[in-house]
Amino acid sequence: MGCIPISSLTNGIKSLAASVMANGEFRAPFIDVRSILPGLEETFAHDIRRLYDEGLISAVMFLTMQTPEGNPPVDKFTPFAESFRKLQELLRDCDIPIGINAHIMGGWQPSVSANFTRITRGDSGKTPTYNFCPLGSEFQEYTEKIFTQLATLSPSFFLIDDDVRLITEHYYCYCEKHISLFNSRHGLSYTREALKAEVDTFGELAQAWDNWQRESLVSYVTLIRRSIDSVSSGIPCYFCTCGFDISMAADIARALAAPQQTPVVRLSDAVYLNDSLRSLPRTNLITATQLAALPSDIEVWTEGDTFPQNRRSTSAQMIHAHNSLSLLLGCKAVKSWVTELADPSMANGKAYRNKMRANRGFYLELSRFTQTSPKYKEKYFNLM
């Protein structure tokens, strides 16, 4: 059975979460994300096709780790592009949106990190080996090259991962360039140590420093948008935020968005290693708090990450509860990890898929309600 086309059915709907099936039912608002490994393209395509035909996903995206490694940086684009093009061809008659989840600014420890300017800690002056400063000229050139290349693959959309951040884990970047430009702008002469001490008082200068960090990130993602536009100006681009960076998320999402595209932020509200349902109130509070921090022009997705994508971390029932409650709070879609990253055999995600199938009617009705009910013109329910 071929996939059911949506291009002629959505009537110009921009949101991936709002796609409908041939019978008029809404699809479950799940955006499937998985790694991409050579040799598994046909297996992945079969699984994606089945989930899409059943109305259990609205789109799929593939993770690419493009953070620079080696000197000069090794070519990560070519092997990813080969597999991505194969999957596009295998799903050509499916009409499912196929996106790219791009990791670029930081990540796991490599064998050899690129010699680009790195984020500098304010307290110690140390530079984590795999987190790059958005002001670094060589890193900016690398970023421009990568996103120009990725755009030639004509993905349906981009999702920029949450490594694009300066607060969570880093607590701002105190590199020489960030400090010297800040000092020049404000007529100051702070050293790293003195500036860090002043920022820690949370006074007016701390707010100015926060604004400058935000500005440098927005400038960096504007470079990403410009690189994509050099190939195609219409490709939507969404953003994943980390919890401590939520205050910057809306500005970043707007800078990444294509013309006429609703800006999208994926929250930092996953249920990592919390298999007890007793943890749900806490996670739900995190979701609601981050929703409340975002302005009304932002479409919000929840993080349905089961990392490391097996039930030893997050049970099928737990992720079902988290996703359902997040949607009821006002999230429009779920970034859904139901395929294990390191060993992506379909058997490892069988329980997740069975849970999705068992609740198919519930998800479809929930999607229809959240997309059409007047209550969801607001970001979340007023529960008081």
Side-chain angles (χ1 to χ4, degrees):
M1 175 181 171
C3 286
I4 303 164
I6 65 165
S7 59
S8 61
L9 303 173
T10 56
N11 298 320
I13 293 174
K14 304 185 190 71
S15 172
L16 292 176
S19 64
V20 295
M21 301 175 69
N23 60 6
E25 291 181 321
F26 280 85
R27 295 184 182 278
F30 293 162
I31 315 302
D32 184 70
V33 60
R34 56 185 74 198
S35 59
I36 191 166
L37 294 175
L40 288 176
E41 293 91 354
E42 290 190 7
T43 300
F44 276 5
H46 175 77
D47 181 55
I48 292 164
R49 185 182 294 270
R50 183 179 179 187
L51 292 172
Y52 191 69
D53 276 346
E54 294 176 10
L56 295 175
I57 60 175
S58 294
V60 64
M61 58 184 161
F62 295 97
L63 176 65
T64 180
M65 301 292 293
Q66 293 293 331
T67 313
E69 296 182 40
N71 296 287
V74 298
D75 176 16
K76 295 183 175 184
F77 169 75
T78 299
F80 173 80
E82 290 175 355
S83 288
F84 189 81
R85 289 190 178 108
K86 287 180 182 177
L87 282 154
Q88 284 177 312
E89 180 60 28
L90 288 166
L91 295 168
R92 183 170 54 85
D93 66 331
C94 190
D95 205 26
I96 182 174
I98 304 172
I100 294 175
N101 183 192
H103 210 83
I104 186 68
M105 202 168 126
W108 298 295
Q109 179 66 41
S111 298
V112 179
S113 180
N115 289 331
F116 298 160
T117 302
R118 299 181 185 129
I119 291 173
T120 302
R121 292 292 299 259
D123 51 2
S124 64
K126 292 182 178 179
T127 56
T129 55
Y130 206 31
N131 298 102
F132 298 97
C133 174
L135 292 180
S137 58
E138 290 179 312
F139 179 56
Q140 289 180 353
E141 291 172 6
Y142 174 84
T143 298
E144 184 174 13
K145 173 186 174 183
I146 290 299
F147 279 93
T148 301
Q149 290 178 320
L150 290 173
T152 65
L153 299 175
S154 300
S156 301
F157 62 94
F158 284 98
L159 179 67
I160 306 304
D161 223 326
D162 58 16
D163 57 305
V164 176
R165 64 179 189 262
L166 285 174
I167 301 179
T168 304
E169 295 182 338
H170 308 310
Y171 308 105
Y172 302 128
C173 177
Y174 287 81
C175 71
E176 291 182 5
K177 193 166 188 178
H178 263 107
I179 294 175
S180 64
L181 289 174
F182 180 76
N183 279 337
S184 177
R185 176 178 295 188
H186 294 280
L188 303 170
S189 57
Y190 277 103
T191 62
R192 173 182 56 79
E193 295 84 353
L195 179 59
K196 175 66 166 59
E198 184 63 31
V199 168
D200 285 350
T201 67
F202 300 102
E204 291 185 8
L205 187 132
Q207 184 60 62
W209 181 244
D210 183 86
N211 291 341
W212 168 226
Q213 299 283 310
R214 178 200 308 264
E215 183 181 332
S216 68
L217 267 185
V218 170
S219 177
Y220 173 72
V221 300
T222 300
L223 170 67
I224 292 176
R225 181 71 255 175
R226 188 165 63 246
S227 302
I228 296 170
D229 288 344
S230 70
V231 179
S232 175
S233 60
I235 302 176
C237 192
Y238 314 128
F239 178 61
C240 297
T241 189
C242 272
F244 290 120
D245 298 75
I246 192 71
S247 64
M248 301 182 181
D251 288 342
I252 294 172
R254 294 184 188 115
L256 286 170
Q260 309 305 314
Q261 176 216 311
T262 300
V264 169
V265 171
R266 186 233 65 191
L267 301 181
S268 180
D269 62 340
V271 289
Y272 300 133
L273 300 175
N274 288 311
D275 204 31
S276 169
L277 293 178
R278 289 178 296 179
S279 67
L280 272 177
R282 176 182 177 275
T283 304
N284 221 215
L285 178 61
I286 291 172
T287 303
T289 301
Q290 292 183 23
L291 273 163
L294 291 169
S296 59
D297 66 308
I298 304 296
E299 178 176 300
V300 182
W301 298 356
T302 188
E303 173 69 298
D305 194 345
T306 58
F307 182 82
Q309 292 85 46
N310 62 59
R311 288 180 296 148
R312 291 179 293 277
S313 172
T314 305
S315 71
Q317 180 60 35
M318 183 66 175
I319 199 64
H320 164 64
H322 169 68
N323 291 342
S324 300
L325 289 170
S326 296
L327 291 168
L328 284 169
L329 278 171
C331 294
K332 298 299 185 184
V334 177
K335 181 189 175 191
S336 177
W337 282 93
V338 295
T339 303
E340 189 168 343
L341 183 67
D343 181 16
S345 65
M346 299 307 100
N348 285 343
K350 183 178 180 180
Y352 295 133
R353 287 161 174 78
N354 286 343
K355 178 63 69 173
M356 292 168 72
R357 291 186 179 99
N359 290 279
R360 176 179 179 275
F362 171 74
Y363 291 137
L364 293 178
E365 180 61 18
L366 183 60
S367 181
R368 183 201 65 78
F369 178 68
T370 59
Q371 296 296 334
T372 61
S373 170
K375 282 184 178 292
Y376 278 85
K377 291 180 180 179
E378 301 297 327
K379 296 195 300 295
Y380 56 94
F381 276 127
N382 180 359
L383 298 177
M384 300 302 292

